[in-house]
Amino acid sequence: MHEISLVRNIFRTIEEQFPESAPETITCIYLRAGELSNVQPILMQNAFEAVVQDDPRYKRAKLEVEITPILVYCETCKKTSEVKQYKFVCACGLPTKNVIQGDELLITKVEFLN
Amino acid sequence: MIPLKPKSNRAPVGNIPCDNTTLNLLKANDFVAKAIRDRLPDMLVVNVCSSPGSGKTTLMQETGKRLAGKLNMAVLVGDPETERDAIRMRDVGINALQIVTGGMCHIEAQMILQALDHIDLNHVDLLFIENVGNLVCPAAFDLGEDYRVTVLASTEGDDKPKKYPRMFHTSELLLVSKSDLLPYVPFSVEAVTKDARDVNPDIEVMTISSIKGDGLDAWCDWLLEKVNQKKQSKLTTQKAY
Ligand SMILES: [Zn+2]
């Protein structure tokens, strides 16, 4: 995975969203990554540290990565099931591609210094 | 003098949950991908992904030869460093442009949008994007394509769908390439089809050999059908107005 460019993308996204805030005041960034997004927390942390070395404005910030399971919604039985071992099948046995969670890559929260 | 716009955004203090404006990291890419789709309403765009060495470039060459006279094809070739693959295609008369990604492991939509200004797309019916050889990163980037095709060589092993689920999940077609080598390698088309359909119940599977020519007619028929469908769907939308 392109973790380095992903971390740069996180910084760029935050700077666009909070143009009035100095990156130096950020204490924690919460990332939510679906299991299908190919993001591995340990690799993200390593990339985060590497990018912060080049861009010390973020040296106060921590990164919290939450991995969410893949959920599919079955139109036939109207139920939500969790996808295990990447087998896209409803609990009722019908295959389904209707992903309602698990392919997202989102910043869910940014904490700033008080 | 233009007066400065008063800034209303106060600097945030304390915890700022973005729950109401969740920041999607792929939003910028998805926005550009939509611009590409809007710009190419009647051209079929196919994003071809694979590991390195799956024979994508040879497949493009053979596809170009077979489709010559039937439709006009162009190829955007992604490569981290060199222009070698585009030269190989131009050698056999294919309209090809290299996108050197500067070491990046995938193509982003912005690179495609820029490349559209540097390739002659007059009368082109089918635009291939030969993605960087990598089954992980390119999976996350919508390039404005109509179809995503994953090429998996029989020499690579048949355990790839579960290792790279997002790529197989987001592809409409799996091409098992180098099928001429199937008798000599421990690769089961049946097993790979089953695993690919676990990850993506709708995926189509075809077996091809660019060297022997097996399966290439079916692949080219698939392309011709999709090109026609794309043009017709444009006609339908025009009629609707
Ligand atoms: Zn069901």
Side-chain angles (χ1 to χ4, degrees):
Chain A
M1 194 57 181
H2 43 275
E3 282 81 7
I4 296 273
S5 63
L6 208 51
V7 173
R8 292 207 180 103
N9 193 351
I10 289 173
F11 291 172
R12 202 166 52 232
T13 307
I14 290 175
E15 283 158 31
E16 274 169 22
Q17 185 72 15
F18 303 109
E20 306 291 293
S21 312
E24 287 85 348
T25 64
I26 295 173
T27 53
C28 196
I29 298 163
Y30 293 83
L31 184 72
R32 182 186 297 159
E35 203 185 326
L36 200 54
S37 71
N38 288 331
V39 167
Q40 287 181 278
I42 181 74
L43 298 180
M44 277 305 289
Q45 295 294 354
N46 293 345
F48 188 78
E49 280 169 33
V51 175
V52 170
Q53 282 203 337
D54 291 342
D55 188 351
R57 292 177 305 151
Y58 286 88
K59 67 174 186 295
R60 191 174 267 135
K62 276 193 312 174
L63 179 71
E64 291 282 342
V65 183
E66 173 202 8
I67 301 289
T68 50
I70 304 167
L71 299 178
V72 287
Y73 180 77
C74 173
E75 288 87 351
T76 309
C77 67
K78 314 281 179 214
K79 271 192 199 136
T80 299
S81 359
E82 186 179 335
V83 169
K84 300 228 169 92
Q85 275 112 40
Y86 300 112
K87 205 166 155 56
F88 284 74
V89 62
C90 170
C92 74
L94 285 175
T96 174
K97 265 194 86 176
N98 190 9
V99 175
I100 56 167
Q101 177 192 287
D103 59 356
E104 67 274 14
L105 195 50
L106 308 166
I107 301 168
T108 52
K109 192 161 103 174
V110 183
E111 285 176 1
F112 295 87
L113 271 183
N114 279 307
Chain B
M1 221 181 94
I2 303 160
L4 279 173
K5 233 174 96 185
K7 290 183 177 170
S8 58
N9 286 357
R10 279 190 306 121
V13 176
N15 294 358
I16 305 297
C18 313
D19 292 337
N20 46 351
T21 53
T22 311
L23 305 174
N24 179 356
L25 288 173
L26 292 168
K27 196 173 75 181
N29 185 79
D30 292 348
F31 183 78
V32 178
K34 187 183 176 302
I36 294 168
R37 285 196 180 90
D38 290 346
R39 186 161 156 184
L40 307 173
D42 54 4
M43 188 186 301
L44 186 77
V45 181
V46 180
N47 180 359
V48 185
C49 300
S50 76
S51 300
S54 64
K56 279 198 304 280
T57 305
T58 310
L59 175 65
M60 292 292 102
Q61 288 178 316
E62 291 306 313
T63 306
K65 283 184 204 162
R66 274 161 200 263
L67 291 177
K70 293 181 181 154
L71 55 73
N72 287 311
M73 162 180 149
V75 188
L76 296 172
V77 193
D79 189 287
E81 310 292 351
T82 76
E83 193 160 348
R84 197 186 49 224
D85 288 349
I87 292 169
R88 270 178 67 193
M89 282 188 224
R90 288 197 288 263
D91 282 347
V92 295
I94 297 172
N95 174 14
L97 178 74
Q98 192 83 32
I99 298 174
V100 178
T101 60
M104 241 158 90
C105 52
H106 61 275
I107 301 177
E108 294 189 9
Q110 188 61 39
M111 300 174 191
I112 299 296
L113 192 63
Q114 282 167 353
L116 295 182
D117 292 327
H118 295 98
I119 185 166
D120 180 10
L121 292 176
N122 255 328
H123 309 296
V124 167
D125 313 286
L126 169 61
L127 176 66
F128 278 115
I129 300 167
E130 187 186 322
N131 218 313
V132 178
N134 176 344
L135 287 175
V136 184
C137 310
F141 293 89
D142 182 356
L143 301 181
E145 72 265 28
D146 298 295
Y147 291 95
R148 185 174 288 186
V149 176
T150 297
V151 183
L152 183 61
S154 65
T155 47
E156 288 182 65
D158 53 16
D159 57 347
K160 292 281 166 90
K162 295 276 164 119
K163 275 191 184 162
Y164 305 102
R166 192 187 180 100
M167 183 55 84
F168 290 84
H169 182 80
T170 56
S171 296
E172 280 78 22
L173 173 64
L174 164 61
L175 284 182
V176 175
S177 66
K178 305 189 183 177
S179 68
D180 48 297
L181 299 176
L182 279 171
Y184 315 105
V185 292
F187 186 105
S188 159
V189 177
E190 202 180 315
V192 88
T193 302
K194 189 193 160 294
D195 282 358
R197 290 201 173 134
D198 274 354
V199 176
N200 179 357
D202 302 329
I203 198 166
E204 286 185 64
V205 182
M206 288 183 193
T207 316
I208 54 159
S209 165
S210 298
I211 305 290
K212 303 267 177 179
D214 300 340
L216 289 181
D217 285 340
W219 156 240
C220 289
D221 286 347
W222 186 91
L223 290 166
L224 285 164
E225 186 194 332
K226 302 299 181 195
V227 165
N228 286 332
Q229 281 173 0
K230 179 88 189 252
K231 291 192 173 172
Q232 279 161 13
S233 67
K234 192 216 170 194
L235 286 175
T236 331
T237 35
Q238 275 185 339
K239 269 188 228 151
Y241 283 116

